[in-house]
Amino acid sequence: QLQLVESGGGLVQPGGSLRLTCAASGFTLDYYAIGWFRQAPGKEREGVSCINRSGEITNYADSVKGRFTISRDNAKNTVFLQMNSLKPEDTGIYYCAAQTIPWGLACSTSPRDYSYWGQGIQVTVSS
C-alpha cells in the first residue's frame, strides 16, 4: 500500500519559515520524481516545486524562486520543502506527490503527471 504523509505545516507570521516533510511508506521513494503542490482557498491546485529521482534536477514556480528549496534524502525515504520569507499568498493546503507520468530525466510541476498524493497539510501565513 503506497502512502505519502506530509508534516511540518502550521501557522507562521509573514517573513517566517517552515520546513515541510514528505515521508513515504509502502514503496521506495527514490523510484519517483517528487512534487510539492498547493491549493489556496477558491483556487486550483498549482505546482510549487519538484525534484527528480536522483535529486540532481529541481524546478520551482516563479512565485517561490529564491525563497523555497526542495531536497531529498533517498536513504531516509524523505523529501523536504524549506520555505523561507513566507508571504500571506503562500497560504494553502500543501501536498506532496509522486510523479508517475514520465517527463524526461527532469520533473514536472503539472498535477496531471502525478498519481500518488499525500492528504495535504495546512500552511497559514498571517499576522
Side-chain angles (χ1 to χ4, degrees):
Q1 186 170 332
L2 306 179
Q3 186 174 3
L4 296 170
V5 179
E6 303 94 339
S7 62
L11 175 65
V12 66
Q13 292 183 322
S17 298
L18 288 172
R19 189 173 86 154
L20 303 183
T21 298
C22 177
S25 63
F27 67 103
T28 302
L29 194 61
D30 65 4
Y31 189 78
Y32 300 95
I34 301 297
W36 283 98
F37 301 82
R38 67 187 181 190
Q39 188 165 17
K43 296 184 178 180
E44 295 185 351
R45 192 170 302 181
E46 64 176 349
V48 175
S49 182
C50 68
I51 186 166
N52 79 335
R53 293 173 60 183
S54 67
E56 297 175 343
I57 302 173
T58 59
N59 290 312
Y60 298 91
D62 288 341
S63 60
V64 307
K65 286 181 179 178
R67 299 188 298 119
F68 291 11
T69 303
I70 190 170
S71 61
R72 67 191 303 163
D73 186 343
N74 287 338
K76 297 181 179 179
N77 227 24
T78 305
V79 174
F80 305 97
L81 184 67
Q82 179 68 45
M83 305 186 295
N84 298 326
S85 302
L86 283 162
K87 304 174 181 179
E89 51 263 44
D90 294 319
T91 294
I93 301 174
Y94 282 69
Y95 303 85
C96 68
Q99 184 178 342
T100 51
I101 297 178
W103 208 59
L105 298 178
C107 59
S108 170
T109 52
S110 174
R112 70 178 183 178
D113 294 328
Y114 291 75
S115 295
Y116 301 117
W117 293 82
Q119 294 185 2
I121 190 166
Q122 180 70 43
V123 172
T124 302
V125 184
S126 176
S127 299

